[in-house]
Amino acid sequence: MSIPGLIEREHTGSGLKLGTVLARTDAYTSYEVTYEANGLTISGLMNIPEGKGPFPALVLAHGYIDPDIYTTGRGLSREQDLLARNGYVVLHTDYRNHARSDKDADNDVNLRLGYTEDVIGAAKALRAAGRPEIDGDRIGLLGRSMGGGVVYNSLVVAPGLFDAAVAFAPVSGHPEENIDQFQRPEGDPLVGQIEAEHGTPEENPKFWREASPLTYLDRVTEPLLIHHGTVDDTCPIAWTRHTVAAFEKAGKDVELRTYRGEGHTFYGQWPRSMETTMNFFEEHLR
């Protein structure tokens, strides 16, 4: 499993099915959904706005939540609501190994690259759905924290699939930095399994170079907007500054918005960041 391996693979996404109604509001109806991504059934949540479609669609990629406690649609509830109220079909993927999704026993040792397949599959399932509410020709992507890393991966693996992408407080584009930040200090036994399978960055630099989306930024075709707080101690803003510099060096359309005094959760300045996000999607998806 590597970024080149994902690039070479022919990805599939289909079979979008609406299930139980989770909520009805004055602006949208929320459903449990399932879809197929590279042979796995992935669960999720979808908000469909009231009114006459077709509406542009957004795939949402959530941050890390322990799969043992995760429930469908958890992690980006504020964004799900606001974006649907502003006229977007919102498909929040649960990812494999979460909620009612199929299991993938090798996903964690393979640096969770399977989540990238699930996001790509979500976009392809939206395009193939043939539902009158969904405009399959206008699809955006939004990811937060770990989901921001999934955004980077998706842009390099499947250029042209999305029309625009947004990342909030994203992780590092170098997987080894994420391991050192989140897993190694906790004594996570998965670190030993990863290094036994793939070697350390010193032992097998080729693998780790090929596991980073920053190695393949020449493939990116979509505009990217990144939001990051200046006092984020979960995902340091230095990671994002490095990523933005790499995108700029590759000549890509990237914009960084920073929020002084804001941490990882984006509570105080979340409304301002979402106004910028909606203006960005309005420009590229309407």
Side-chain angles (χ1 to χ4, degrees):
M1 182 67 76
S2 64
I3 298 291
L6 292 181
I7 289 170
E8 292 173 7
R9 183 168 191 176
E10 183 177 348
H11 296 275
T12 62
S14 62
L16 181 65
K17 296 178 181 177
L18 274 62
T20 303
V21 173
L22 297 173
R24 295 188 189 275
T25 75
D26 60 332
Y28 62 87
T29 302
S30 183
Y31 300 87
E32 288 187 339
V33 297
T34 57
Y35 63 93
E36 175 272 332
N38 287 355
L40 297 183
T41 297
I42 306 299
S43 62
L45 172 151
M46 190 160 77
N47 292 343
I48 299 179
E50 297 296 324
K52 181 176 175 55
F55 303 101
L58 299 172
V59 176
L60 268 55
H62 64 80
Y64 179 79
I65 301 171
D66 185 344
D68 289 338
I69 64 171
Y70 179 89
T71 53
T72 288
R74 187 170 175 178
L76 286 166
S77 58
R78 298 178 297 176
E79 290 81 0
Q80 294 164 17
D81 176 78
L82 182 62
L83 292 166
R85 289 183 180 277
N86 280 270
Y88 293 95
V89 170
V90 176
L91 173 54
H92 176 113
T93 178
D94 289 335
Y95 304 136
R96 60 193 62 196
N97 299 333
H98 291 68
R100 296 170 294 117
S101 298
D102 284 347
K103 304 304 179 187
D104 176 1
D106 296 326
N107 187 59
D108 285 347
V109 77
N110 286 327
L111 306 180
R112 301 178 180 141
L113 285 173
Y115 298 162
T116 300
E117 297 181 86
D118 302 336
V119 163
I120 291 170
K124 287 181 172 285
L126 284 166
R127 284 192 169 177
R131 297 190 62 90
E133 310 97 329
I134 301 170
D135 185 342
D137 292 326
R138 295 183 292 166
I139 301 178
L141 175 60
L142 184 150
R144 173 160 170 44
S145 195
M146 181 187 72
V150 176
V151 168
Y152 298 159
N153 291 346
S154 300
L155 294 182
V156 302
V157 170
L161 180 61
F162 296 96
D163 295 292
V166 175
F168 272 85
V171 294
S172 172
H174 296 289
E176 64 270 26
E177 291 187 338
N178 297 318
I179 289 173
D180 288 343
Q181 174 81 347
F182 301 115
Q183 294 172 277
R184 201 180 299 277
E186 302 296 324
D188 187 343
L190 183 60
V191 176
Q193 297 173 40
I194 292 170
E195 292 179 347
E197 180 72 20
H198 304 296
T200 66
E202 293 75 25
E203 294 166 342
N204 189 3
K206 180 177 183 291
F207 169 80
W208 292 94
R209 185 173 61 254
E210 292 182 348
S212 170
L214 304 188
T215 305
Y216 306 96
L217 294 185
D218 61 301
R219 294 175 51 82
V220 175
T221 58
E222 296 76 29
L224 172 65
L225 170 65
I226 306 177
H227 302 284
H228 215 125
T230 60
V231 295
D232 187 337
D233 58 4
T234 300
C235 293
I237 193 171
W239 287 351
T240 286
R241 294 194 189 280
H242 174 77
T243 295
V244 168
F247 269 83
E248 290 176 340
K249 183 177 180 180
K252 303 306 175 180
D253 184 353
V254 62
E255 178 183 0
L256 171 61
R257 293 292 184 99
T258 61
Y259 299 82
R260 184 170 299 279
E262 189 65 73
H264 192 61
T265 52
F266 267 82
Y267 282 119
Q269 299 181 71
W270 181 79
R272 180 161 67 91
S273 70
M274 286 306 296
E275 181 179 1
T276 302
T277 295
M278 288 186 291
N279 288 338
F280 178 77
F281 282 138
E282 181 77 20
E283 177 184 355
H284 295 290
L285 270 71
R286 296 291 189 179

